[in-house]
Amino acid sequence: MADINDSIIGFGGGCHWCTEAVFQSIIGVETVQQGFIKSRPPYEQYSEAVLIEYDPDKIDVAILIDIHLRTHASMSAHKMRGKYRSAIYNTDDDDTDYRIILDVLQQEFDQDLVTQILPIEDFKLSDERFQNYYKKGPEKPFCKNYIDPKLSLLWRKYTKNYKDNA
């Protein structure tokens, strides 16, 4: 695997359909792969996530992390955290840069973040029929109820980073 400078990062938190749609909407995100990531024990169980490649000349990793924290329940240790682990997945063992970013962003939240920083041990794509879920059916009730509010937040808070505004 590569390090933070190689412009690859994984995010897990909520449904990967939602996470995929969020990051497909961001300027500077080159690819979004929807699937499942596992880390090292005790986090070796696959959890819904996305693996993204981004252009650091177009978007800073700190903004990507901030977007991730604000578009899922990053302060909730709810019972579905096994399936929906709140995580920033890095591609090597040095997570210092991510920890610094997370510590700075924590100051903007009124509760402790439960988001972990974990190394990626493996990634597998979700079934093809679920890839590009939002793009294939934005009118579906799930998209209207769960994804549209996240995209609306992005548009309001990250207007200059939102692709539909470019």
Side-chain angles (χ1 to χ4, degrees), residues 11-80:
F11 291 117
C15 170
H16 51 197
W17 299 348
C18 295
T19 312
E20 175 190 58
V22 163
F23 288 102
Q24 285 176 333
S25 301
I26 303 298
I27 294 170
V29 172
E30 305 296 326
T31 62
V32 179
Q33 296 179 75
Q34 179 206 117
F36 303 88
I37 293 178
K38 75 173 185 173
S39 190
R40 296 183 185 137
Y43 307 106
E44 71 273 20
Q45 228 178 341
Y46 283 98
S47 185
E48 291 193 19
V50 297
L51 191 62
I52 69 168
E53 185 174 356
Y54 65 97
D55 181 343
D57 292 329
K58 294 181 181 174
I59 189 147
D60 189 273
V61 70
I63 293 172
L64 293 173
I65 291 171
D66 190 38
I67 288 169
H68 176 59
L69 296 174
R70 295 179 191 284
T71 55
H72 81 283
S74 60
M75 296 173 284
S76 174
H78 58 74
K79 67 181 180 175
M80 294 295 289

Side-chain angles (χ1 to χ4, degrees), residues 3-164:
D3 64 23
I4 192 171
N5 297 320
D6 286 331
S7 307
I8 296 171
I9 190 169
F11 291 117
C15 170
H16 51 197
W17 299 348
C18 295
T19 312
E20 175 190 58
V22 163
F23 288 102
Q24 285 176 333
S25 301
I26 303 298
I27 294 170
V29 172
E30 305 296 326
T31 62
V32 179
Q33 296 179 75
Q34 179 206 117
F36 303 88
I37 293 178
K38 75 173 185 173
S39 190
R40 296 183 185 137
Y43 307 106
E44 71 273 20
Q45 228 178 341
Y46 283 98
S47 185
E48 291 193 19
V50 297
L51 191 62
I52 69 168
E53 185 174 356
Y54 65 97
D55 181 343
D57 292 329
K58 294 181 181 174
I59 189 147
D60 189 273
V61 70
I63 293 172
L64 293 173
I65 291 171
D66 190 38
I67 288 169
H68 176 59
L69 296 174
R70 295 179 191 284
T71 55
H72 81 283
S74 60
M75 296 173 284
S76 174
H78 58 74
K79 67 181 180 175
M80 294 295 289
R81 278 295 171 220
K83 181 178 181 179
Y84 304 121
R85 186 179 304 124
S86 181
I88 300 164
Y89 293 100
N90 62 336
T91 55
D92 80 10
D93 288 329
D94 183 6
D95 62 9
T96 305
D97 292 335
Y98 293 133
R99 293 218 178 274
I100 291 167
I101 293 167
L102 200 58
D103 286 346
V104 169
L105 291 173
Q106 173 63 69
Q107 298 170 31
E108 297 181 23
F109 291 84
D110 58 358
Q111 296 175 31
D112 288 342
L113 296 166
V114 299
T115 306
Q116 300 168 293
I117 302 170
L118 301 168
I120 298 170
E121 285 295 306
D122 193 30
F123 176 80
K124 62 181 181 179
L125 287 170
S126 60
D127 190 290
E128 177 62 34
R129 64 190 159 138
F130 299 120
Q131 297 293 319
N132 297 302
Y133 189 82
Y134 185 79
K135 286 182 176 183
K136 290 178 184 174
E139 72 290 341
K140 293 178 183 175
F142 182 90
C143 295
K144 291 290 182 200
N145 292 325
Y146 296 101
I147 299 175
D148 280 352
K150 293 172 192 295
L151 296 179
S152 179
L153 169 76
L154 284 179
W155 187 84
R156 286 190 317 274
K157 183 161 174 54
Y158 298 96
T159 303
K160 70 179 185 175
N161 302 104
Y162 192 69
K163 281 184 180 169
D164 284 350

